[in-house]
Structure formats: structure tokens, C-alpha cells
Amino acid sequence: MSRRKLSRVMAAVAVVLAPMAAAAAEEDVLRRIEALSREIEQLKAQVRATEDKAAKSQADVQAQARRSEERSLERWLTVGGDYRFRVDSLRGETRPFTDVGATFANAQNRLQGDFFANPSGASAYFGAPQAGGMSTAGALSGLMAFAQGMNAVRTYNDALAFLGAPRNAGMAQGIGAFAAQVPAHKPKNDTLYTNRLRLDLHAKATQDVSVTTRLAMYKTFGAQDDAAVVNGGAAPFFADRVGVFDGTVGHLPSSGQVSVDRAYGTWSNIGGRDLWFSVGRRPSTNGAPGNLKLNEPRPGNGGTPSLLVDYAFDGMTLGYAPDIDNLPGAYGKICYGRGFESGLRRTPANSIADTDMLGISLVPIDSDKLRVWAQWNRGFHIFDAPAMNGTYFGTTAPKADLGDIDWFGVGAMSTLKNVGPGNLNFFGDVALSVTRPNQNVSAAFGFQGLLTGGFLAPEAASRKRGNAIAVGLRYDLPSRTKIGLEFNRGSKNWITFAPAADDIWTAKAGTRGDVWEAYLIQELAGKPISSFGSKAFFKLGAQYYDFKYTGSNNWVGAPVRISDMNGQFSALTPLRKAWDIYGTFEVKF
């Protein structure tokens, strides 16, 4: 076959086969397109799976972050507190008196010495016929029997019967021979240094339940006791400064021991209403208007008026805060506290009742500009002395239920802004106390009752009314300088329940007489770091006490005009005037 012919044949075959090749190529392309589509769908599925996994991981991370945030300490636990260094320079003037405790100790020592010098002879003190004609042994045993008989006295009638017995009457009269007379003097302490540290914890347990705690340490420089404020080694000046006890621990300088000052749980928004219940060791100290002098914010709905109560109570509160447009911040509450737990009763060794406090507080308005309050308290089964160790009177404990006391108080505090260059804060508070004595007397304090009687001079029970006022102001300048002036006055029979007050000599709220106090606070300009309310400041102040009657802050025994004190029996040193110049450096965090 020629070459030309062969070319024609091959061309004809190509023409015939070309459609077939094109069809095959198209089919291959379609197969590749389908395969590529499947790969693309697989990739899309993988991308979607990856995105879903990433989204789920992000959601898990966010959920975990929310859980971590909810559990973080900052969300449920608030930590704060304060530190204070204080120096006091104290001066006083007393009246002459006969120290009861020292007199009985003197009698015992002399009669013992008389006995050991002449065991079978006549007493040098009670040997004369008109004195009972006692031997030395008889005189010593007579004193012991007299002391034991005193301890058995429970009521006013018991006291009359005891002193009416000829032997006891002679012994009571003969005690005068051993009188430990203390002349008028001028006690002073140039520098009393103290450190105080308080740590506050507030924990949110659930949505509406929280726990608040305060730990406190209040220590005297160079000592591990309270001798510096209780006139250590001599008759104390005031009943609220005999020693540290349950209601004052952490509030009077003593040792470096850390105590629980406050610890209470609060259930808020009960039933979806502005109703709350709180129980534990209460925030019943440093209340309004005393917060001005302390440079602290108002105590809110947990505090008590400082003119009536300044005592670390264990108790509970039920409160309600209605939402009334015209009465912003209004609330009311019922408070209960236990001041002394007597333990098992109606046993041969214990017949004394628990000491309790019941109060009703009404605050019709509590705003930045104005706070008004009205308070009623009743103290039930008031004891003669709290439980204390190592006091001038030895180890003390409640031995007598002297009756009840009612307290009534009304007051207000307000802030006027832009008065001159600064803001003016001022307050006024008035109070009334009414005793409800029973027939019981305190054997430990010579048959004195609830504001009745003197040592070995019992008086029939009768109600006594006292009153007190407190007024003051504080002017706050833009320079962070705050200048304050306060005045207190208490009547002859005024009695309060404020042994934990932040005063060294005695609680000025319970003074039977006048107290003036002036102070200046200078805050430092540092930016708060630990909390919004953090600050540091210096304070310089002075107090002047002018006592009109004995027994300030003491409900045992009848008051005596200070000017009439001239050697009479007294368990406490009668102070006529007192001064305290003090300075502090304080840090609140």
C-alpha cells in the first residue's frame, strides 16, 4: 500500500475513533470532578467538626472561667481590719476613803498576828468586856464566822437580821479599828502605750447567707495583763475597769492574746423580702454616734446606740427594712443578747439566773444626710459582778441577781455639706435608765443592792431613775483634717451598759457628771490600695472628766456626792476629776 493510501486510511480511522476518545476523556473528567467534590465535602465536614470542637472548647473554657470566678476568693471573701498605736497621758484627783478590801485583809492579818503572839490570851482588839471579851482565838474565829455569815446573806431582810445579831453588830463596829484609810491623792501615768490589731473577715456562703468575723488583740506595751488600766495592786477606780471579762475582751488593753470579738451568721432576703436574721457574737460595740470620734463609717443596721450599749454580746437579731420612699433606709429590729450564762440551775450550789438583754430598735430614716433612732432595752437578772480572774477582789463571779434595768433612748445625727470650706457632722442623744430592783443584795459588796445601800448599810429596794445626754460635732475640711468636740452628762442615778467603750479611765457614756472631749484627726493623702475605704491617719485628743457622784458605770450601791466622800467605806477609789491626753496612729485596710 502506498504511503498516500495509508495516510488516508489512518485519517479515516482517526475520524471514526475521535468521538470515542472524547467521550472517554469527558467521562474521566467527570470522575475526577466527582472525586474532587467528595474530597471537598469531606474537607468541609472536617472544617465543621473542627469549628464545632473549637466552639465547644471555647464554651467549656468560658464555663470553667465562670465557675472559677464564682469560686474565687475575691467574689465570696472580703478581708479587712485595722491597726492602732495609742499613747495616753493620764492624770486624776481622788477623795479620801476607807478601802473595804484592804480593811478586811488588815483585820485578818492583825488578828492572826495577835493569835500567834498569844494563842490563849485575851484579844488585843476584842478582849475588853464592852468589845465582847474575846480571846485571840475567839476574835479570829469570830472574824471568819462574820465573813462566812456575810456570804450566806441573800436578801435585804437577811442583811438586817445578820447585822441585828449582837455578835455581828459588834464585829461590824469593831472592823473600824482596822480601817485602811486612803488619803486623797493624784494618780498619774505619763505614758501608757498600747497596740491594737483587728482582722475582719466577711464570707458569702450562699446567695443570701453570710458569716462575719472579727479577731482582735489589744495589748499594753511591756505587759501581758490589764494592770495598767485597773489600778493594779490597789482599789480600782471604776466598776467597768476592774478587769477584762467576756463583754470587754478585745476592747480593753491587756495581753497579746487574740480573741474572737465578733462572729455571726446572717440570713438576708428571707422570703424575698427585706427581712433578715442574724445570730452569734454581735456587732454591739462602737455604735453611732461614737463612730464619728473613731473615724469610722456608720455601723449600718447592725449597730446599737453607744450611749446605751457598748458591750460584746452573744445573741441574735430579727430585722425588717420596709421600702418607703419618704423614709430612706428605715428599718426596725428586735435584739436579744446573753450577758452571763449561769449554767445548771436549781442545784445546791447555784441559784443565780442568766443575765439577758432584750431590745427594740426603730430607725425611721438612715440616709447620708440624716440618721434618727429610738431604742428600748431591758436587762434581766442583772448580776452584781461579772466573772473575772486575778482582780483586786480576787476571782469574781456573779453571786446575786439584783433585778432588772430598763433603758430608753432617742437620738439623731446629721451631715451638712458645704458649710464654709468643709462639711459639718453633728449629733444629739438623750437617754433614761430605770431600775427594777428585787429584794436581793450583794454579799460580796457589803449588802448593797441595785443602786441602793452602802457597805454594811443595806437599803430597802426602790426604783431609781437616771438620765444622760450626749452632743457633739465634727468639722471635716478638704485638707482631710477633722476637728471634733463632744460633751456628755449623766445624772446621779444614771447607769448604762457600756464597759467596752473606747475610753481608758472609764466609759464616758456612763459618767455621773460631765465629760468634755476634743480631738483632731489628720488623714494621710495616700491612694487606697487594699480597699475603697482604706486610710491612715493621726489623731490627737483630750478628755476631761468632772465627776459629781461616785459609782460611774456601776449599778451596785447608791451613789454618793463626790464632795461628801471623806473617809467612808468604799470598794472603789473615788475619783473626783480626771484628764486623758492621747494620740494615735491608725491604719484601716
Side-chain angles (χ1 to χ4, degrees):
M1 182 179 292
S2 67
R3 185 171 295 186
R4 175 180 285 183
K5 186 180 268 186
L6 179 61
S7 298
R8 288 192 190 117
V9 171
M10 291 180 66
V13 172
V15 170
V16 173
L17 293 176
M20 296 176 62
E26 182 179 356
E27 184 179 351
D28 183 59
V29 170
L30 290 174
R31 283 196 302 270
R32 290 185 179 183
I33 290 173
E34 290 178 356
L36 183 61
S37 298
R38 286 194 298 270
E39 289 180 5
I40 290 174
E41 290 299 325
Q42 290 176 356
L43 288 173
K44 287 182 178 179
Q46 291 177 1
V47 169
R48 284 195 298 268
T50 301
E51 289 176 347
D52 292 343
K53 184 176 180 181
K56 185 176 183 300
S57 298
Q58 185 177 4
D60 291 342
V61 169
Q62 291 175 348
Q64 180 64 34
R66 285 194 298 270
R67 288 193 293 270
S68 298
E69 182 181 357
E70 290 173 354
R71 296 174 181 174
S72 67
L73 285 176
E74 293 180 356
R75 185 175 178 86
W76 66 270
L77 180 64
T78 303
V79 180
D82 64 84
Y83 165 77
R84 183 179 78 182
F85 163 74
R86 174 167 173 154
V87 55
D88 292 81
S89 181
L90 306 166
R91 298 285 190 278
E93 296 180 4
T94 73
R95 295 288 298 172
F97 74 107
T98 298
D99 186 338
V100 168
T103 294
F104 271 79
N106 191 28
Q108 182 177 354
N109 291 335
R110 289 193 183 183
L111 291 180
Q112 284 179 342
D114 193 25
F115 169 74
F116 289 127
N118 188 8
S120 58
S123 170
Y125 304 97
F126 296 96
Q130 62 271 23
M134 299 181 185
S135 64
T136 56
L140 184 59
S141 63
L143 179 65
M144 295 174 61
F146 183 82
Q148 292 175 354
M150 282 186 66
N151 290 333
V153 170
R154 294 288 179 267
T155 68
Y156 169 70
N157 289 331
D158 290 346
L160 293 181
F162 175 83
L163 293 174
R167 188 179 185 89
N168 292 332
M171 185 63 69
Q173 184 177 2
I175 288 293
F178 308 97
Q181 296 180 343
V182 181
H185 56 284
K186 296 181 178 180
K188 71 174 184 177
N189 186 343
D190 290 331
T191 54
L192 170 63
Y193 298 122
T194 57
N195 266 331
R196 188 187 70 187
L197 175 66
R198 302 188 300 193
L199 182 63
D200 297 327
L201 303 172
H202 180 75
K204 297 178 181 179
T206 66
Q207 182 176 355
D208 294 320
V209 177
S210 64
V211 174
T212 302
T213 303
R214 170 178 284 177
L215 306 178
M217 181 278 294
Y218 194 4
K219 183 184 181 300
T220 305
F221 274 36
Q224 285 288 340
D225 56 35
D226 55 12
V229 295
V230 301
N231 200 24
F237 296 104
F238 300 99
D240 63 339
R241 298 296 182 264
V242 171
V244 175
F245 60 95
D246 181 63
T248 63
V249 63
H251 294 271
L252 294 184
S254 56
S255 70
Q257 181 177 352
V258 177
S259 61
V260 178
D261 180 34
R262 297 176 181 178
Y264 57 92
T266 303
W267 177 21
S268 305
N269 301 317
I270 301 174
R273 298 179 178 274
D274 292 325
L275 182 70
W276 75 90
F277 172 73
S278 184
V279 61
R281 191 153 178 86
R282 309 301 303 149
S284 50
T285 56
N286 305 140
N291 61 294
L292 284 179
K293 182 185 76 169
L294 299 176
N295 200 24
E296 293 182 352
R298 294 179 187 177
N301 58 24
T304 55
S306 56
L307 186 59
L308 295 182
V309 175
D310 210 322
Y311 189 103
F313 269 110
D314 301 296
M316 58 196 72
T317 293
L318 179 64
Y320 177 62
D323 187 6
I324 303 175
D325 292 339
N326 294 329
L327 297 175
Y331 68 87
K333 60 181 180 179
I334 300 174
C335 306
Y336 164 80
R338 172 146 294 175
F340 167 68
E341 168 58 52
S342 65
L344 294 173
R345 295 185 59 204
R346 303 194 179 187
T347 67
N350 183 24
S351 61
I352 193 169
D354 299 331
T355 298
D356 292 327
M357 178 81 80
L358 181 66
I360 297 177
S361 177
L362 297 175
V363 179
I365 184 171
D366 188 5
S367 66
D368 291 339
K369 292 183 178 181
L370 178 64
R371 174 185 171 97
V372 178
W373 61 87
Q375 182 94 12
W376 166 80
N377 297 329
R378 173 171 289 185
F380 299 89
H381 310 297
I382 300 296
F383 50 68
D384 55 346
M388 296 178 287
N389 296 319
T391 76
Y392 180 68
F393 309 110
T395 297
T396 68
K399 297 295 184 181
D401 163 13
L402 300 179
D404 305 336
I405 303 177
D406 281 328
W407 287 276
F408 306 87
V410 292
M413 59 190 306
S414 181
T415 300
L416 298 179
K417 295 185 177 181
N418 302 318
V419 178
N423 299 330
L424 179 64
N425 306 275
F426 59 96
F427 68 85
D429 206 356
V430 296
L432 174 71
S433 63
V434 181
T435 63
R436 298 175 178 271
N438 52 32
Q439 293 298 315
N440 294 338
V441 295
S442 173
F445 295 99
F447 312 145
Q448 298 179 86
L450 191 60
L451 287 183
T452 60
F455 188 79
L456 296 183
E459 175 189 346
S462 61
R463 291 191 180 187
K464 301 295 179 66
R465 290 176 173 82
N467 59 76
I469 63 169
V471 294
L473 56 86
R474 191 186 75 190
Y475 191 56
D476 300 348
L477 292 165
S479 61
R480 299 176 182 260
T481 305
K482 303 177 180 182
I483 304 171
L485 179 65
E486 298 183 0
F487 173 73
N488 287 70
R489 170 170 290 176
S491 70
K492 173 182 178 180
N493 291 309
W494 165 245
I495 184 64
T496 187
F497 213 79
D502 194 28
D503 303 305
I504 296 295
W505 275 114
T506 187
K508 70 176 186 177
T511 298
R512 292 170 184 158
D514 299 337
V515 184
W516 289 93
E517 180 170 9
Y519 60 88
L520 183 146
I521 297 170
Q522 180 59 60
E523 295 185 357
L524 304 183
K527 180 181 178 180
I529 294 178
S530 61
S531 68
F532 177 77
S534 297
K535 57 187 174 183
F537 59 90
F538 291 91
K539 180 164 68 171
L540 179 64
Q543 290 180 321
Y544 167 64
Y545 292 79
D546 184 10
F547 299 97
K548 305 298 184 182
Y549 294 89
T550 62
S552 292
N553 291 294
N554 185 18
W555 52 70
V556 180
V560 177
R561 187 178 291 275
I562 283 288
S563 58
D564 293 339
M565 284 297 296
N566 193 23
Q568 298 97 314
F569 277 118
S570 178
L572 301 171
T573 301
L575 204 61
R576 186 174 71 92
K577 295 181 183 297
W579 296 263
D580 181 6
I581 299 174
Y582 63 89
T584 72
F585 171 61
E586 305 186 42
V587 181
K588 298 185 183 294
F589 56 89

